[in-house]
Amino acid sequence: MIYNGGTTFLKGDDILNKPKLLAQSALYLIVCELASFVIVMFFPMAYQSIGVGMSIVFGICSTGACVALYGDFCSKAGRKAGIKDSRLEGVDNSYFGFFMGLVPTGINYIFVILVYLSKFGVVSYDFYPWYKTLAFYFMPWTYLFAPNTLVDGVSTTVAAVDLPWYGMLVITILPLVFLFTCYFSFYVGYKNYDMKSKIVYGK
């Protein structure tokens, strides 16, 4: 029980559990990875048959799955947080979605930094193939600037040192998707905005 403002006692459930939300935000990356795997499973075959257009189609679908998953998770968390905070005087956690978004964004930037270290020879190990596996939800976008090549019938990824500068720019920007999605979704849920009515009916 927590004493609030000299008037009421609050249960632990009335207080926003921030560490739990941050941990869940990290675990949702695993869900995104699995969802993207199902979506991108046939991407290499489609790319070989149809071409670069499939990079955009599958890229939108796989990244869109991450946006949908995190958007749903953060909006629900924001709605619950708004209800809890309404019981507390002077408490406003409407911006906590930013910190929830920092978790998956930060994890992805660890991958990006390792790719940079590989590209510029700071580490001898080529991390780029691992990046494409760990950030599977962004993999189709990498085919826009560094598609796999067939060597003796085996699909071989480009080495980090051979990545073009605009490709490095792309993988540097992509993780921000998580930050914007989490912040916006949590804020909308917290404020209890009816986005369906706003979009469909303009209300």
Side-chain angles (χ1 to χ4, degrees):
M1 302 287 284
I2 299 175
Y3 195 55
N4 176 43
T7 55
T8 57
F9 282 97
L10 299 172
K11 297 180 181 180
D13 289 343
D14 292 325
I15 309 299
L16 185 63
N17 191 338
K18 294 180 180 180
K20 179 181 178 181
L21 288 176
L22 294 176
Q24 289 176 331
S25 186
L27 291 174
Y28 255 76
L29 266 182
I30 300 175
V31 180
C32 287
E33 188 80 359
L34 294 174
S36 298
F37 175 77
V38 174
I39 294 171
V40 183
M41 188 182 303
F42 301 103
F43 166 69
M45 181 175 62
Y47 179 85
Q48 293 297 332
S49 302
I50 301 175
V52 71
M54 289 295 96
S55 299
I56 298 174
V57 172
F58 278 86
I60 291 173
C61 290
S62 60
T63 306
C66 297
V67 171
L69 288 166
Y70 268 97
D72 180 67
F73 163 59
C74 290
S75 63
K76 289 178 179 176
R79 191 173 298 112
K80 292 179 181 178
I83 294 172
K84 290 182 178 182
D85 288 356
S86 66
R87 303 168 186 164
L88 304 173
E89 185 178 349
V91 175
D92 183 2
N93 285 302
S94 61
Y95 299 100
F96 188 68
F98 175 81
F99 297 100
M100 292 176 66
L102 279 179
V103 176
T105 303
I107 292 173
N108 275 272
Y109 272 124
I110 292 174
F111 306 154
V112 172
I113 289 171
L114 289 171
V115 174
Y116 270 94
L117 294 177
S118 297
K119 178 173 178 58
F120 294 111
V122 179
V123 295
S124 58
Y125 184 78
D126 186 1
F127 187 77
Y128 185 59
W130 276 102
Y131 165 81
K132 294 177 70 173
T133 301
L134 294 172
F136 204 67
Y137 29 79
F138 294 146
M139 188 268 285
W141 297 112
T142 67
Y143 272 63
L144 290 174
F145 54 83
N148 284 17
T149 56
L150 290 176
V151 179
D152 297 328
V154 178
S155 182
T156 305
T157 188
V158 175
V161 294
D162 296 324
L163 290 174
W165 67 267
Y166 57 88
M168 298 299 295
L169 181 62
V170 169
I171 67 172
T172 302
I173 293 174
L174 282 174
L176 294 176
V177 168
F178 293 105
L179 188 63
F180 289 125
T181 298
C182 291
Y183 170 75
F184 178 77
S185 300
F186 188 92
Y187 187 83
V188 167
Y190 189 93
K191 297 296 185 180
N192 199 27
Y193 291 145
D194 187 354
M195 294 304 297
K196 180 180 178 181
S197 295
K198 287 182 178 294
I199 295 172
V200 178
Y201 305 109
K203 296 180 179 179

